[in-house]
Amino acid sequence: MATNLSEAFSRSPFLLSLRQSLYSLPVRPEFLASSSFKFVNPRSHVTNTDKVVQVLPASAIAGLSDENVLALFSTGFFGGFIFGFERFILRIGGYNILPSRYTGFERPSDAVTIWNKSDIPTTHLLPNGSNLFGSFTMLDKYIATNPSEQDASYVDYGFGSDESIFAGCHRFQITRLPTQSGAESQVQMELLHFRCNPQKNKPSIAEYIERFHYVYAKALFANGIQYVITR
């Protein structure tokens, strides 16, 4: 019995993702030329970047559209147990320390505000401008009509403010990779991230906790993958 439990635990999507995902510093150049980047960092100050990537067999997301996958990943990222403590702090007023707002971004009329993880949709993405827990704003989303390696789907969540000394953005992206002869189709999931000091052209305060950020990013990513795989 103990052996069976151990095997089941070792095969959990969360732990498998922690082992199989790859962390590196460069991000896709188009992310740093996006409208989200311009909202968060309008003065083009120095940025720090990183990403977490994992390749999955297409069978792992069988029957799901790109939007379904990004919605599930968003739910796992913001509604999973790893984000739990941060979610609690934000809900009791922590968002007042670093609210999410951008002077160049006009919030659409259909945007919503989410305070409970159960309200994060798992089948579709929220409208642009929607806010999660006071500190994250959906700045942009794109769903490819014919998903491919050249046409990937993504959603951007900005945090912080261009009027503060700390801000940044998370991009969740899914790329349908080309099928190799005789091999199963694959998809690539990515968590792309940049952070900056919008007020002064110098690194953000987050650089003092670089090691913690690495561990936290990997764990949040794994929670997102877990929700996609165990839908």
Side-chain angles (χ1 to χ4, degrees):
M1 180 67 173
T3 301
N4 291 337
L5 286 175
S6 177
E7 289 178 356
F9 190 64
S10 67
R11 293 173 183 170
S12 79
F14 178 82
L15 293 177
L16 284 173
S17 180
L18 283 180
R19 291 199 299 269
Q20 296 174 359
S21 64
L22 300 176
Y23 178 92
S24 60
L25 298 182
V27 297
R28 294 173 180 265
E30 59 266 28
F31 182 36
L32 301 182
S34 66
S35 60
S36 298
F37 182 88
K38 294 171 184 175
F39 289 134
V40 175
N41 189 14
R43 301 170 188 85
S44 296
H45 285 174
V46 61
T47 61
N48 289 88
T49 67
D50 56 65
K51 66 181 178 182
V52 184
V53 181
Q54 184 175 355
V55 175
L56 302 169
S59 58
I61 60 166
L64 296 178
S65 68
D66 282 8
E67 184 168 11
N68 293 154
V69 172
L70 292 174
L72 285 164
F73 189 92
S74 297
T75 302
F77 188 96
F78 292 109
F81 70 93
I82 294 297
F83 194 73
F85 180 72
E86 185 174 349
R87 190 168 57 242
F88 170 75
I89 293 298
L90 293 175
R91 288 183 60 188
I92 63 174
Y95 71 93
N96 289 308
I97 299 174
L98 196 66
S100 176
R101 55 172 174 253
Y102 311 97
T103 54
F105 181 76
E106 185 174 345
R107 193 173 192 234
S109 59
D110 62 343
V112 299
T113 299
I114 300 290
W115 288 107
N116 297 304
K117 65 178 184 178
S118 60
D119 293 331
I120 305 174
T122 58
T123 58
H124 60 277
L125 292 171
L126 294 165
N128 278 351
S130 295
N131 184 273
L132 288 85
F133 310 108
S135 286
F136 296 88
T137 297
M138 183 188 288
L139 296 176
D140 192 22
K141 61 182 175 181
Y142 171 74
I143 304 301
T145 303
N146 297 297
S148 66
E149 189 173 27
Q150 290 73 38
D151 195 15
S153 301
Y154 63 81
V155 57
D156 292 345
Y157 296 96
F159 55 88
S161 168
D162 63 318
E163 297 180 312
S164 74
I165 62 172
F166 178 64
C169 185
H170 300 306
R171 171 171 286 189
F172 307 157
Q173 181 162 313
I174 175 173
T175 305
R176 306 266 176 171
L177 301 176
T179 304
Q180 303 297 323
S181 178
E184 181 180 359
S185 300
Q186 295 180 315
V187 297
Q188 180 170 278
M189 295 297 301
E190 295 177 78
L191 164 60
L192 307 170
H193 166 86
F194 75 81
R195 56 193 178 277
C196 62
N197 180 336
Q199 292 299 304
K200 296 182 179 180
N201 194 17
K202 63 180 185 179
S204 75
I205 57 175
E207 305 324 304
Y208 293 103
I209 55 171
E210 185 177 359
R211 184 63 186 176
F212 170 78
H213 174 77
Y214 159 75
V215 174
Y216 196 42
K218 287 266 290 182
L220 286 169
F221 179 87
N223 236 172
I225 292 294
Q226 178 184 19
Y227 271 61
V228 172
I229 299 301
T230 62
R231 60 191 184 278

